[in-house]
């Protein structure tokens, strides 16, 4: 889930057609608990409050995205936490291990007509799917579709695994 981060809805999303005010993160976490595995993006500032509502056993991964060009009297935040739970454990050779950090500096896709503030780059989406050990036979629910990038990435994965898209040749 990549909802608007706590305290940012009115500032960044009020002109988005799906805008419905602040997200109830406690309710969202209750909903996520019904899944075998899930990942929730949030901000570093909101992390303590969101973690207070999380079930035991969650883990925190870090996407180091680099700073945003802005003026600030305080240190600029250059990372975003991803809280995750469950997923599929998989044994990997040391060279192929999954890691809970991603260093990927991205720039806004200003020429993308489907761009939504806060949308994640493809490298982030692939990393998150790998972090959960998701496989093509799994079901992915993109609870906050925004730009649709997560669903597009998932469709690429499932189509590569099944080039006929479930149709007989």
């Amino acid at each position: 889930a990549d909802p608007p981060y706590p305290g940012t809805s009115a500032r960044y999303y009020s002109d988005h057609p799906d805008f419905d005010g602040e997200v109830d993160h406690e309710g969202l976490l209750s909903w996520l608990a019904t899944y075998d595995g899930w990942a929730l993006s949030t901000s570093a500032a909101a992390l303590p409050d969101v973690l207070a509502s999380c079930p035991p056993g969650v883990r925190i991964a870090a996407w180091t995205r680099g700073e945003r060009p802005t003026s600030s009297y305080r240190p600029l935040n250059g990372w975003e936490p991803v809280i995750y739970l469950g997923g599929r454990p998989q044994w990997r050779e040391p060279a192929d291990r999954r890691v809970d950090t991603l260093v990927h500096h991205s720039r806004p896709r200003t020429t993308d007509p489907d761009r939504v503030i806060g949308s994640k780059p493809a490298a982030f989406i692939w990393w998150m799917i790998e972090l959960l050990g998701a496989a093509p036979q799994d079901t992915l629910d993109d609870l906050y579709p925004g730009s649709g990038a997560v669903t597009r990435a998932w469709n690429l994965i499932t189509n590569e695994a099944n080039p006929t898209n479930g149709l007989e040749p």
Side-chain angles (χ1 to χ4, degrees):
D2 188 18
Y5 299 162
T8 65
S9 290
R11 181 176 180 189
Y12 293 114
Y13 303 99
S14 61
D15 62 345
H16 194 273
D18 297 333
F19 178 72
D20 196 24
E22 284 293 326
V23 172
D24 172 10
H25 277 75
E26 284 188 25
L28 174 59
L29 286 159
S30 293
W31 186 9
L32 291 174
T34 66
Y35 289 88
D36 293 330
W38 54 264
L40 172 64
S41 293
T42 193
S43 68
L47 182 61
D49 291 334
V50 175
L51 277 176
S53 300
C54 285
V58 296
R59 298 188 66 178
I60 302 169
W63 169 35
T64 303
R65 57 166 165 68
E67 67 167 290
R68 295 187 179 140
T70 187
S71 300
S72 177
Y73 292 105
R74 299 177 189 263
L76 293 171
N77 187 308
W79 74 287
E80 289 188 15
V82 176
I83 303 167
Y84 68 104
L85 183 67
R88 178 178 289 110
Q90 296 175 339
W91 171 252
R92 301 285 177 101
E93 293 298 323
D96 297 328
R97 288 184 294 191
R98 295 181 287 179
V99 295
D100 63 358
T101 57
L102 171 69
V103 177
H104 178 78
H105 299 271
S106 64
R107 301 289 177 253
R109 299 180 331 251
T110 56
T111 59
D112 182 352
D114 295 327
R115 179 179 177 265
V116 175
I117 291 175
S119 62
K120 303 297 187 279
F124 173 91
I125 297 164
W126 288 83
W127 168 69
M128 180 202 56
I129 290 169
E130 179 74 12
L131 188 66
L132 291 171
Q137 68 270 18
D138 293 333
T139 301
L140 180 134
D141 293 334
D142 187 2
L143 304 181
Y144 294 88
S147 67
V150 172
T151 300
R152 283 192 303 274
W154 184 250
N155 287 340
L156 282 172
I157 290 170
T158 56
N159 286 340
E160 285 178 6
N162 185 2
T164 62
N165 294 327
L167 303 173
E168 295 298 320

